[in-house]
Amino acid sequence: MLKVIVIGSPGAGKSTFARKLRDVTGIPLYYLDRIWHRPDRTNVTREEFDRRLNEILKKDRWIIDGNYQRTLEPRLKRCDTVFLLDFPLETCLAGAEARIGKRREDLPWIEREFDGEFKQWIIDFPKTQLPQIYQQIETHRQGREVIIFKSREEAGDYLRALSTRQ
């Protein structure tokens, strides 16, 4: 495991899982939200985002946290390990709501409210995003380890087992 992507619904705990994986493995972690979002809540251009992502993909070791469907294929082509957090909708909604008002290393600002548009995106994610993610994973599965967690407990168990092997 040298080149890892962590994907799944917003609120599933991708960033938390990615941080814990970094802490166990020592592999450098990159948050796509940190690349895309500026502290003033504007975004970089697609060209700037793609340039910065491509710089990361050229490195020997990385964990990349985030969905960003438009860039999933190049990440899948270059990774050796995929972690998909496919958790129940209620878990993801509760996770997104729980982080309101908390400083996070994966986002350059503190969320002050559970934005209605963002909440709807989470609600729609299992229907609009997840099938495409599964399809892309299947297309690029060969030569990659694909690990799909259906609960936070499964993800936690994996990290605990990994830490005892390190």
Side-chain angles (χ1 to χ4, degrees):
M1 179 175 11
L2 297 172
K3 298 179 178 183
V4 179
I5 63 172
V6 180
I7 54 180
S9 176
K14 295 181 302 296
S15 299
T16 300
F17 178 84
R19 268 193 301 283
K20 290 176 180 178
L21 185 63
R22 172 200 61 198
D23 293 347
V24 170
T25 64
I27 299 171
L29 171 58
Y30 302 92
Y31 299 108
L32 294 182
D33 280 344
R34 277 275 182 187
I35 296 171
W36 179 243
H37 298 293
R38 293 182 178 130
D40 66 0
R41 297 182 183 247
T42 62
N43 302 320
V44 300
T45 65
R46 278 184 165 204
E47 294 77 20
E48 173 69 9
F49 180 86
D50 292 351
R51 183 188 65 73
R52 291 178 64 191
L53 176 59
N54 285 327
E55 287 174 6
I56 295 165
L57 292 174
K58 291 176 186 173
K59 296 178 184 288
D60 293 333
R61 298 172 22 155
W62 39 258
I63 299 168
I64 299 176
D65 160 61
N67 288 318
Y68 291 79
Q69 192 86 7
R70 182 180 69 80
T71 66
L72 182 56
E73 185 172 19
R75 288 179 284 134
L76 280 167
K77 286 181 176 179
R78 289 177 180 86
C79 74
D80 57 42
T81 309
V82 177
F83 290 101
L84 171 60
L85 282 58
D86 183 3
F87 296 169
L89 176 60
E90 298 75 24
T91 300
C92 298
L93 287 169
E97 191 166 14
R99 65 189 190 198
I100 303 300
K102 295 181 180 167
R103 182 167 301 282
R104 300 164 33 205
E105 74 178 64
D106 57 300
L107 196 63
W109 63 72
I110 297 174
E111 295 172 298
R112 298 290 179 201
E113 64 180 337
F114 196 0
D115 177 72
E117 186 177 322
F118 182 56
K119 183 176 183 178
Q120 189 61 51
W121 192 61
I122 296 170
I123 292 168
D124 293 340
F125 189 89
K127 294 177 287 242
T128 61
Q129 304 290 313
L130 202 53
Q132 295 172 21
I133 289 171
Y134 270 103
Q135 181 180 18
Q136 285 190 288
I137 288 172
E138 198 52 44
T139 299
H140 300 287
R141 186 179 209 107
Q142 189 172 356
R144 282 156 195 82
E145 183 173 10
V146 177
I147 302 164
I148 299 171
F149 299 121
K150 295 291 190 172
S151 70
R152 292 191 196 281
E153 292 75 24
E154 287 179 6
D157 290 346
Y158 177 90
L159 289 167
R160 279 187 290 284
L162 183 63
S163 68
T164 62
R165 293 193 309 254
Q166 295 292 319

